[in-house]
Amino acid sequence: MRTRSFIKHYYIMLLPGMVWLTLFSIVPMFGFVIAFQDYNPGLGVLHSDWVGLENFKYMFTLNDSRTIFFNTIFIAVMKIAANLIVPLIFALLLHEPRITVLKRWIQTIVYLPHFLSWVILAGILLDLFSYKGPVNSLLTAFGAEPILFFARADLFPFIIVGATCGRSSALTRSYFWRRSRESIRPCTKRPPSTAPAA
């Protein structure tokens, strides 16, 4: 009985989180019915006319629909691949420096984008890749022409994927690094000597 009464306190502690999850994550999911309605804000979701799949038919008749679907799938696949490959390579490369202080500094610098909001990160990207930003200044110093990165449709998906990978994969990099330490450490130990003692 004492254990059951003690567990009740945990359920009470969970109650605010469950209420928040229900109100802001579960209840808004019922708004998907707007896609099947001729939605009128004045009438609301309950009184708007039901049109079935007409909105989807209209969307697929647009000239840019194929481009939109391709970009969505292409960027999503690239994000999945980058968030797996880049942290894994980084974790393996982080084993190479023998100076512990250098490793700690590298880890700290790599973690910094994780604590920046997307608004601040977008401002940094705009400054870095602007026409007179550091990247174009470096290209000009090597004799290349400046590039309008945000005006080129072929480069924009890679900028989005790079920004997402740089900010969101900090925890993944840390996990891969710790796991790789555990797997590499036994392999790097020298085997005990089997030579007979003199």
Side-chain angles (χ1 to χ4, degrees):
M1 292 296 295
R2 185 177 180 181
T3 305
R4 290 183 178 179
S5 61
F6 185 72
I7 292 176
K8 290 180 181 179
H9 295 87
Y10 288 105
Y11 287 115
I12 295 173
M13 292 172 62
L14 282 172
L15 187 60
M18 294 300 295
V19 171
W20 181 88
L21 182 68
T22 303
L23 290 178
F24 296 100
S25 297
I26 297 176
V27 174
M29 290 180 65
F30 292 100
F32 78 94
V33 297
I34 296 176
F36 303 95
Q37 293 179 336
D38 183 13
Y39 180 68
N40 187 339
L43 298 176
V45 177
L46 299 178
H47 300 288
S48 296
D49 295 332
W50 189 267
V51 294
L53 298 176
E54 290 298 324
N55 292 329
F56 294 93
K57 293 178 181 178
Y58 170 74
M59 182 178 64
F60 284 111
T61 57
L62 297 175
N63 295 328
D64 296 331
S65 59
R66 292 184 178 180
T67 305
I68 293 170
F69 279 104
F70 174 79
N71 289 339
T72 302
I73 297 173
F74 179 69
I75 292 174
V77 172
M78 285 185 60
K79 283 182 180 180
I80 294 172
N83 284 326
L84 288 175
I85 296 172
V86 173
L88 183 60
I89 295 175
F90 177 82
L92 295 174
L93 291 177
L94 197 59
H95 283 284
E96 296 303 318
R98 302 298 180 183
I99 305 173
T100 306
V101 178
L102 180 60
K103 288 185 178 181
R104 300 300 180 188
W105 272 99
I106 293 174
Q107 281 184 294
T108 303
I109 293 172
V110 169
Y111 261 109
L112 287 178
H114 181 71
F115 299 100
L116 297 177
S117 67
W118 278 111
V119 177
I120 297 176
L121 188 61
I124 294 173
L125 289 175
L126 286 173
D127 290 336
L128 284 176
F129 293 99
S130 63
Y131 189 76
K132 296 183 179 180
V135 176
N136 275 321
S137 298
L138 186 63
L139 292 175
T140 306
F142 283 96
E145 293 292 330
I147 301 173
L148 291 172
F149 289 96
F150 294 101
R152 291 183 55 177
D154 56 334
L155 296 178
F156 188 74
F158 298 97
I159 296 174
I160 294 295
V161 172
T164 305
C165 182
R167 182 186 182 276
S168 304
S169 62
L171 297 178
T172 310
R173 286 193 293 263
S174 177
Y175 173 76
F176 281 145
W177 181 66
R178 292 181 181 179
R179 296 299 296 177
S180 60
R181 284 183 62 189
E182 296 175 3
S183 60
I184 293 176
R185 188 179 300 166
C187 300
T188 55
K189 289 183 179 179
R190 293 181 178 178
S193 177
T194 56

